[in-house]
Amino acid sequence: EVTFLTHTSILTELSGPLCDAVIANPGSQRLLESLERSNLLLIPLDRQRRRYRCHHLLLELLRADLERNEPDLIVPLHDRAAAWFEAHDEPEKAIDHALAANDPDRAARVFGRIGQPAYAAGRIETLTRWVSWFEERRLLERFPHVAATWALKEALAGNGSNADIFAAAAAAGDPAALA
């Protein structure tokens, strides 16, 4: 139970299928139900008891334990979470876990699907976090659609000099990557 909770501590929300994918082992739903019945700080998020979350203090302890005792496992756990979220049409969570797994290809692929709609929906803080990740790693030319989306945002916000910087990064990238 402790290993299960530690390995799934990278998640903010738990479900049987998601946990099965992240830990690469079946039977998570039964374990979640058992943990909830045992009152181990697992909180159901729906009446069907299919989705749960850990109490935030427990989650912090579990994450610290994972970082301290099994740091090499963190990237594969995030990678499996990103794959699951992408396959289950939860793109924002897929990007967040892809970034945590240091997987720019997956993050950029998913960003390509939702970057513009996220901007249109006013998700500027989220987009800023994602684009900053690519910018800090000097990956904007490799993924020009990320730079182009941000160039458009900067231009529409009236930040011409920033728009020019991101547009130049997009222009320097492979044009085929924009398709």
Side-chain angles (χ1 to χ4, degrees):
E1 292 174 349
V2 171
T3 299
F4 172 82
L5 288 170
T6 302
H7 291 177
T8 59
S9 69
I10 64 152
L11 305 167
T12 56
E13 190 174 298
L14 308 171
S15 72
L18 171 58
C19 292
D20 286 351
V22 169
I23 65 170
N25 205 4
S28 297
Q29 185 61 42
R30 285 187 307 274
L31 186 52
L32 288 167
E33 292 168 1
S34 173
L35 289 168
E36 188 224 344
R37 281 192 305 274
S38 301
N39 197 22
L40 286 177
L41 301 175
L42 200 63
I43 302 149
L45 298 175
D46 60 5
R47 291 178 188 234
Q48 297 80 22
R49 290 177 153 50
R50 296 286 176 219
R51 298 177 351 187
Y52 300 87
R53 71 174 174 82
C54 280
H55 188 279
H56 65 89
L57 294 175
L58 175 60
L59 199 56
E60 287 177 27
L61 289 171
L62 292 167
R63 285 179 181 164
D65 187 57
L66 181 62
E67 290 173 11
R68 184 177 46 257
N69 296 321
E70 299 177 280
D72 294 342
L73 193 55
I74 295 171
V75 167
L77 292 170
H78 279 293
D79 186 53
R80 291 191 291 263
W84 191 91
F85 283 122
E86 183 180 10
H88 290 85
D89 199 31
E90 294 193 49
E92 289 193 21
K93 292 178 182 177
I95 291 174
D96 288 337
H97 284 284
L99 297 180
N102 199 29
D103 184 352
D105 294 308
R106 181 187 307 274
R109 180 177 61 246
V110 178
F111 182 95
R113 289 194 345 252
I114 69 163
Q116 296 275 344
Y119 172 73
R123 304 292 314 266
I124 303 303
E125 188 175 309
T126 300
L127 284 166
T128 300
R129 183 169 34 86
W130 294 340
V131 172
S132 295
W133 188 92
F134 284 94
E135 186 178 22
E136 290 165 5
R137 287 157 183 79
R138 303 184 190 280
L139 295 171
L140 291 174
E141 289 181 13
R142 181 171 161 202
F143 302 104
H145 62 287
V146 174
T149 298
W150 204 246
L152 176 61
K153 176 263 180 208
E154 290 293 326
L156 292 172
N159 301 325
S161 59
N162 284 347
D164 289 343
I165 292 168
F166 284 95
D174 180 3
L178 288 169

